[in-house]
Amino acid sequence: MHLKIAHLYPDLLDLYSDRGNVIILQKRAEWRGLRATVDEITVGHEPDLSEYDILVMGGGMDREQGIVAGDLQKRRENLQHAVDKGTVIVAICGGYQLLGNYFETSGGQRIPGIGLLDIETVGAKVRMVGNVVAEMEIDGVKTNIIGYENHSGKTYLGKGVQPMMKVIKGYGNSGEDKFEGVRQGTVFGTYLHGPLLAKNPALADHMISLALKRKDLSVQLEGLNDELEARTQQKLYKRLVESR
Amino acid sequence: MYGLRFQAAVLAAKMTKKLLTLTGRKGTTLPGQIALRICPDLLAVYGKLLGQRTVFITGTNGKTTTSNLLVHFLRQDGRNVISNSLGANLIQGIATTLIEGVNFARHQDQAVVLEVDEATIGNVIGHLQPKAVVVTNFFRDQMDRYGELDTVVDMVGRALKKAPNNTTVILNADDPLVTSIAPEGKTVVYYGIESSQFDSESHSEVRDGKFCRQCGGNLQYSLYHYGQLGFYDCPDCDFTRPIPSVVAEDVALHAEGIRFQVGSVTGFINSPALYNVYNALAAITASTVFGVQDEVLVREMGYMKTQLGRMERLTSAGGRNLMLTLVKNPTGFNEVLKVVEHEQRPVELVIILNDRYADGTDVSWIWDTNIERLHQFADLRRIYCAGTRAEDFAIRLRYADLGSITEIVEPDIACVEQALRDLPDGHMLYILSTYTSLYNIRDHLLNQGGKELAPENRASVS
């Protein structure tokens, strides 16, 4: 069994150690005896993205993000086709914003996204920075998610999408509605770094399961020893939420 | 003669300092903060008074070491030097340093060396009118404060434009992010390393300056030291590495330090990391701007000692060998790992990761480190993690397949003690710590009877 992972624009969207998510997905698959490979895809590469089980996109600086925005336009249909075939997409921060309809800078300039997610982002003056604790439902089970956010864009959700998590501590999408991220089928967009999957193994496994499902393999993933992650979650939850 | 407000500000600051000292605090910030509130143009008064005898050192890594080396050179040259050696590099700390150090009767003999935070330099450069400004390098660091690296580079670039026209700007030629902000119409002096021994085999390291800041092109490298530092060239425009006038050649690592040539002079630093050659070059270049005599440089460069807690070799009370070093961003961390790789003895590691404000509240950067390199050490028996984010690092190690030799021991001092107690004979302990635990650990080791390795106790390197 072979899990194919693609890291999109690792050279352009690598501001925030989001490559950690790629390492984590690959290792967790390998620890279960699956073959997991990672391809790096950037400007100039034109593979059929629907051949991948999981696509990971990170965040970048404004200039790099501009280059990616242009290149993504050319991959719009390719990406949509992948999503239609069940590919899991994990997009963080800048990558998340670019999957939306547009990003309007605080100066009023509109950078078009690819409209894969029905979200809109508007640049704000004050950055939203700090630890985030949120709650997400994974296969009907309420699970705590812990990460770190650092963004100036405020993201607002359109009609067609659901928030990914409920913020317990932190700002989230806009700092206004206590929602964090977006989940639309197998597409996940979020502001959480840390990287996202490091302290949230249940979410990593959920993504791997979704990816395997697309191959009609309803595999029950073998449990791993995630005691360390559980302890980390408890310690941070206590510090960030309970002792506020 | 300096105006009532100024005098009141200085007096208030000095009184505050006294009170703080009485209550056992260092008082590097509050006195200056109060003085600036009383006299907002305090720094401009000092700027006039000091008439271009000030040098600024800014950049992501190496500010403290460079500034300490420069202070040392100037003092050996017989100057009376003031500096913010405790690293109080924000505007309040700078004001405190000046209030404490400047002698109104004899200020003509004084030189001032200031380590200045990248976000602060723009607010002080116009007032203090420095004679020289050194920019060491730019790496991703503390993005919880500044958002992104480009913002930091732009901030320093704008500050350089505000410098007086006769300010000498001293830049690291090997860092394309630094040379991209060379100001027009000012004297710019470059320093760099021209030694191919360090042409790094690994191009997978974090490289923050991949793209030309002039045209957006993809920079090409003919020689590559670490991070984005090396011999670069933009294929699409005229942006290229400037030819430096102060150059280190024949760089060679030894177990006890690093040796290099600058012209006919041999330099030796007691800490075996390539980045210290850059720090030494920056200090040497700045001291020539200040007219430090050649014989002083020749003499002092033969043995340079880096600052406390920056790759510092110690022996513990029980006679164990250890090295203590600050880590705070992936480039610095990766460079420390390279030093560990040069260690002849088997090593053990303690990693202390805190997320207090001074450390940076975001610890994501640990995922950009090449911690996987540790697999090359057959003898590595144990990695201890401590600090407020010990678990985060343990998770990082788990995903580097190093989990089986990882152990979390809290708190940090207990962790170091256990590591020392369990250290097998002939092994060397490396302690890598973020800022807020560094000095605690050092003080603890020395209080317990540990010793700094004095130069005469070192194995001679030839």
Side-chain angles (χ1 to χ4, degrees):
Chain A
M1 211 180 314
H2 181 191
L3 191 71
K4 282 188 81 179
I5 304 168
H7 189 181
L8 290 184
Y9 308 106
D11 53 338
L12 292 155
L13 301 182
D14 75 337
L15 180 61
Y16 240 112
S17 316
D18 296 313
R19 80 180 181 109
N21 292 319
V22 178
I23 299 174
I24 291 159
L25 288 167
Q26 186 178 24
K27 287 282 174 197
R28 295 188 74 81
E30 284 175 356
W31 288 338
R32 272 116 171 184
L34 301 170
R35 191 159 86 91
T37 53
V38 177
D39 286 346
E40 298 194 336
I41 295 170
T42 188
V43 177
H45 305 166
E46 288 172 17
D48 178 359
L49 296 174
S50 70
E51 293 195 350
Y52 290 95
D53 303 308
I54 305 180
L55 302 174
V56 181
M57 271 170 89
M61 293 199 274
D62 289 348
R63 190 189 35 207
E64 279 87 353
Q65 224 162 296
I67 301 171
V68 173
D71 192 71
L72 267 182
Q73 293 294 343
K74 296 179 219 155
R75 296 186 204 271
R76 204 188 171 285
E77 279 166 33
N78 198 344
L79 270 166
Q80 186 62 59
H81 180 59
V83 172
D84 293 342
K85 290 183 75 175
T87 296
V88 175
I89 301 186
V90 190
I92 318 269
C93 200
Y96 170 38
Q97 294 168 345
L98 290 174
L99 294 189
N101 296 326
Y102 61 80
F103 182 102
E104 194 173 289
T105 65
S106 50
Q109 191 203 349
R110 219 173 241 215
I111 301 163
I114 59 166
L116 195 71
L117 292 171
D118 185 17
I119 57 165
E120 280 147 23
T121 304
V122 180
K125 290 225 163 58
V126 184
R127 292 193 80 84
M128 290 165 266
V129 184
N131 291 300
V132 177
V133 181
E135 188 185 84
M136 178 177 176
E137 220 174 273
I138 299 176
D139 291 330
V141 181
K142 281 185 179 161
T143 310
N144 280 338
I145 301 288
I146 295 184
Y148 194 94
E149 65 185 330
N150 184 349
H151 55 111
S152 62
K154 291 183 166 211
T155 294
Y156 298 95
L157 310 192
K159 287 198 182 92
V161 288
Q162 293 297 315
M164 185 164 151
M165 313 170 220
K166 226 165 68 192
V167 174
I168 298 171
K169 187 198 174 272
Y171 298 93
N173 285 332
S174 64
E176 292 163 18
D177 53 14
K178 290 284 161 197
F179 289 137
E180 205 308 305
V182 150
R183 175 178 186 169
Q184 180 181 299
T186 56
V187 185
F188 300 85
T190 170
Y191 278 115
L192 298 194
H193 300 283
L196 169 68
L197 302 179
K199 286 183 281 285
N200 306 301
L203 181 55
D205 286 350
H206 180 58
M207 286 165 176
I208 295 172
S209 302
L210 283 174
L212 294 176
K213 219 174 259 171
R214 114 185 237 277
K215 304 182 171 193
D216 291 325
L217 294 164
S218 36
V219 187
Q220 186 66 38
L221 282 182
E222 178 195 327
L224 296 173
N225 180 356
D226 295 324
E227 265 170 45
L228 179 60
E229 284 78 358
R231 243 174 74 189
T232 311
Q233 280 238 1
Q234 280 158 16
K235 179 176 164 183
L236 287 171
Y237 189 88
K238 212 167 175 179
R239 183 180 126 189
L240 299 170
V241 180
E242 287 174 3
S243 66
R244 256 191 302 180
Chain B
M1 88 202 230
Y2 302 112
L4 275 178
R5 267 175 173 267
F6 179 77
Q7 290 183 27
V10 170
L11 193 67
K14 289 194 167 166
M15 283 169 62
T16 310
K17 175 78 181 187
K18 249 190 202 137
L19 283 172
L20 288 172
T21 316
L22 282 175
T23 55
R25 290 157 69 189
K26 280 200 199 112
T28 52
T29 306
L30 192 62
Q33 191 178 348
I34 289 170
L36 284 167
R37 204 160 299 154
I38 298 172
C39 177
D41 65 345
L42 181 97
L43 293 181
V45 178
Y46 278 112
K48 277 206 192 108
L49 191 71
L50 291 164
Q52 291 212 302
R53 291 192 307 279
T54 304
V55 55
F56 287 178
I57 295 154
T58 195
T60 309
N61 287 340
K63 290 190 285 284
T64 307
T65 302
T66 301
S67 128
N68 284 332
L69 289 173
L70 176 59
V71 167
H72 180 72
F73 291 152
L74 289 167
R75 285 193 178 140
Q76 293 302 313
D77 195 47
R79 319 290 174 101
N80 176 357
V81 189
I82 303 162
S83 86
N84 52 347
S85 54
L86 285 171
N89 61 19
L90 304 178
I91 192 162
Q92 302 86 349
I94 290 167
T96 308
T97 301
L98 294 170
I99 290 166
E100 259 174 58
V102 174
N103 181 321
F104 290 95
R106 297 177 32 210
H107 66 84
Q108 284 90 347
D109 300 329
Q110 293 185 301
V112 185
V113 176
L114 293 175
E115 168 188 331
V116 185
D117 180 81
E118 300 91 289
T120 296
I121 184 166
N123 300 327
V124 298
I125 200 162
H127 300 308
L128 283 176
Q129 307 259 310
K131 182 183 179 71
V133 179
V134 178
V135 184
T136 58
N137 48 54
F138 290 112
F139 296 113
R140 56 182 67 187
D141 181 45
Q142 307 215 340
M143 284 188 294
D144 51 325
R145 252 179 254 177
Y146 306 129
E148 55 181 52
L149 185 64
D150 267 345
T151 315
V152 178
V153 179
D154 289 341
M155 276 191 302
V156 178
R158 280 196 302 275
L160 291 183
K161 285 189 188 145
K162 279 201 260 173
N165 279 336
N166 54 354
T167 297
T168 303
V169 176
I170 300 169
L171 302 180
N172 183 342
D174 296 348
D175 186 344
L177 293 174
V178 169
T179 61
S180 76
I181 56 166
E184 274 175 41
K186 291 187 178 100
T187 308
V188 180
V189 182
Y190 293 98
Y191 61 89
I193 295 179
E194 299 196 345
S195 187
S196 55
Q197 289 95 316
F198 286 89
D199 194 7
S200 173
E201 70 293 347
S202 158
H203 286 239
S204 64
E205 283 178 49
V206 185
R207 254 205 287 158
D208 287 314
K210 291 180 281 256
F211 301 100
C212 175
R213 281 179 43 95
Q214 203 163 290
C215 76
N218 223 326
L219 292 182
Q220 308 285 314
Y221 280 78
S222 61
L223 182 73
Y224 168 59
H225 294 316
Y226 67 88
Q228 73 275 13
L229 272 50
F231 285 20
Y232 51 86
D233 197 22
C234 177
D236 303 330
C237 73
D238 63 356
F239 183 71
T240 184
R241 174 185 183 259
I243 295 165
S245 53
V246 179
V247 172
E249 293 172 294
D250 300 326
V251 181
L253 272 186
H254 301 264
E256 299 291 315
I258 193 162
R259 187 180 290 281
F260 56 96
Q261 281 301 123
V262 182
S264 57
V265 182
T266 303
F268 181 80
I269 313 171
N270 70 336
S271 146
L274 188 59
Y275 57 70
N276 275 322
V277 177
Y278 283 111
N279 297 334
L281 285 173
I284 291 163
T285 313
S287 59
T288 55
V289 172
F290 277 80
V292 169
Q293 303 167 67
D294 283 349
E295 54 261 42
V296 171
L297 284 180
V298 171
R299 190 181 69 220
E300 297 305 321
M301 274 173 61
Y303 191 85
M304 289 178 269
K305 210 164 161 292
T306 59
Q307 202 243 354
L308 312 180
R310 307 299 206 273
M311 290 252 174
E312 192 180 14
R313 285 175 187 279
L314 303 160
T315 46
S316 73
R320 301 292 189 191
N321 288 308
L322 57 104
M323 184 182 263
L324 177 63
T325 194
L326 173 73
V327 289
K328 60 186 182 107
N329 52 41
T331 301
F333 195 97
N334 288 340
E335 285 307 292
V336 169
L337 288 182
K338 287 183 198 168
V339 170
V340 177
E341 273 168 30
H342 273 87
E343 178 61 56
Q344 305 289 315
R345 290 162 281 197
V347 294
E348 314 256 310
L349 286 183
V350 168
I351 295 166
I352 303 169
L353 181 66
N354 291 334
D355 68 345
R356 301 188 182 103
Y357 184 74
D359 303 298
T361 59
D362 182 8
V363 297
S364 307
W365 64 267
I366 64 175
W367 287 88
D368 270 333
T369 61
N370 286 333
I371 196 81
E372 285 82 1
R373 292 178 88 115
L374 291 176
H375 282 290
Q376 293 164 24
F377 295 89
D379 296 332
L380 184 63
R381 204 183 48 102
R382 196 141 292 281
I383 305 170
Y384 299 88
C385 298
T388 56
R389 290 299 192 118
E391 294 81 4
D392 284 69
F393 211 97
I395 292 174
R396 175 73 187 94
L397 289 167
R398 178 185 181 202
Y399 283 101
D401 289 322
L402 291 160
S404 60
I405 58 165
T406 300
E407 189 177 336
I408 297 172
V409 182
E410 289 283 20
D412 48 5
I413 293 206
C415 181
V416 169
E417 278 184 346
Q418 187 181 329
L420 282 172
R421 212 169 34 236
D422 294 349
L423 192 71
D425 285 337
H427 284 230
M428 167 92 184
L429 183 68
Y430 278 78
I431 304 173
L432 281 52
S433 173
T434 52
Y435 193 76
T436 57
S437 271
L438 191 70
Y439 296 105
N440 285 346
I441 298 291
R442 186 175 190 278
D443 289 348
H444 174 79
L445 289 167
L446 296 182
N447 287 340
Q448 297 294 306
K451 286 192 176 54
E452 286 179 75
L453 268 192
E456 54 272 21
N457 296 341
R458 281 165 211 279
S460 67
V461 181
S462 57

